Structures are given as structure tokens and as C-alpha cells.
């Protein structure tokens, strides 16, 4: 469906997901840091931890390239994001 595929070492080819570096930490250590997510117009998940979501709020809800640099946005696969979501107690996110 989405043409935005990423090759993940764990999950093979899956839909791309863009997350802040803190959520990648959650993927590693399983610690809940909050997760705020949405799907972009390409159908890819964009997700941030609570602190990054607060920073976007402080910026009037706008995600600028400045903020994206600060967040150190990482490209992972959607199956990896599912793991992060579960670490944060989220079960349904589609
Ligand atoms: Zn973050
Ligand atoms: Zn993966």
C-alpha cells in the first residue's frame, strides 16, 4: 500500500516509521517515555515521546525542521514502532 518501505534487520521489509531518538531508546530498554503518533499523508507513522510532543506544543503545534533536527528523528520500521507502542501500554494504533 505504502511505497515507503524500510528494510529492518529484525523485521525485514516493512512500512517506514519516523520516531524521535528517545523512542528508539524505548525500543532498546523497554522504558515507557510516552508516545504521541500520527500517520502522515504517505501512511507512515510519525511518533514522538512526551517530552518531544511538549516541545511541539510549545512551538504552537508546528513541527519545524529545527525541531526535527533537535529530536534526531530516526527511521525505523512499523513493527519496531509497534513494540515501542506496546512498551507504552498502547494496544491499538491503526
Ligand atoms: Zn523524544
Ligand atoms: Zn523493525
Amino acid at each position: 500500500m505504502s511505497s515507503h518501505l524500510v528494510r529492518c534487520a529484525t523485521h525485514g521489509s516493512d512500512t517506514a516509521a519516523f520516531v524521535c531518538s528517545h523512542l528508539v531508546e524505548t525500543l532498546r530498554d523497554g522504558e515507557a517515555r510516552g508516545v504521541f503518533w500520527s500517520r502522515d499523508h504517505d501512511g507512515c507513522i510519525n511518533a514522538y515521546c512526551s517530552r518531544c510532543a511538549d516541545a511541539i506544543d510549545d512551538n504552537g503545534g508546528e513541527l519545524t525542521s529545527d525541531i526535527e533536527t533537535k529530536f534526531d528523528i530516526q527511521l525505523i520500521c512499523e513493527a519496531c514502532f509497534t513494540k515501542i507502542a506496546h512498551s507504552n501500554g498502547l494496544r491499538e494504533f491503526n
Side-chain angles (χ1 to χ4, degrees), residues 20-23 47-53 71:
C20 73
S21 56
H22 315 109
L23 290 186
Y48 313 100
C49 71
S50 327
R51 269 163 59 188
C52 289
F71 288 1

Side-chain angles (χ1 to χ4, degrees), residues 3-94:
S3 56
H4 286 70
L5 291 177
V6 63
R7 180 151 284 282
C8 171
T10 311
H11 304 106
S13 191
D14 203 345
T15 310
F18 301 92
V19 304
C20 73
S21 56
H22 315 109
L23 290 186
V24 176
E25 286 293 304
T26 293
L27 188 59
R28 292 200 190 103
D29 64 17
E31 195 182 307
R33 289 173 171 83
V35 58
F36 294 81
W37 65 275
S38 59
R39 273 187 201 279
D40 64 22
H41 45 265
D42 292 322
C44 296
I45 283 179
N46 289 237
Y48 313 100
C49 71
S50 327
R51 269 163 59 188
C52 289
D54 281 352
I56 297 173
D57 271 358
D58 290 348
N59 201 43
E62 199 158 342
L63 184 61
T64 58
S65 52
D66 267 11
I67 289 194
E68 278 192 16
T69 307
K70 208 164 88 185
F71 288 1
D72 190 17
I73 301 298
Q74 310 279 317
L75 176 64
I76 61 169
C77 89
E78 189 162 321
C80 282
F81 173 74
T82 304
K83 224 180 129 190
I84 296 169
H86 287 179
S87 292
N88 281 280
L90 245 77
R91 295 285 154 197
E92 304 272 335
F93 63 89
N94 271 300

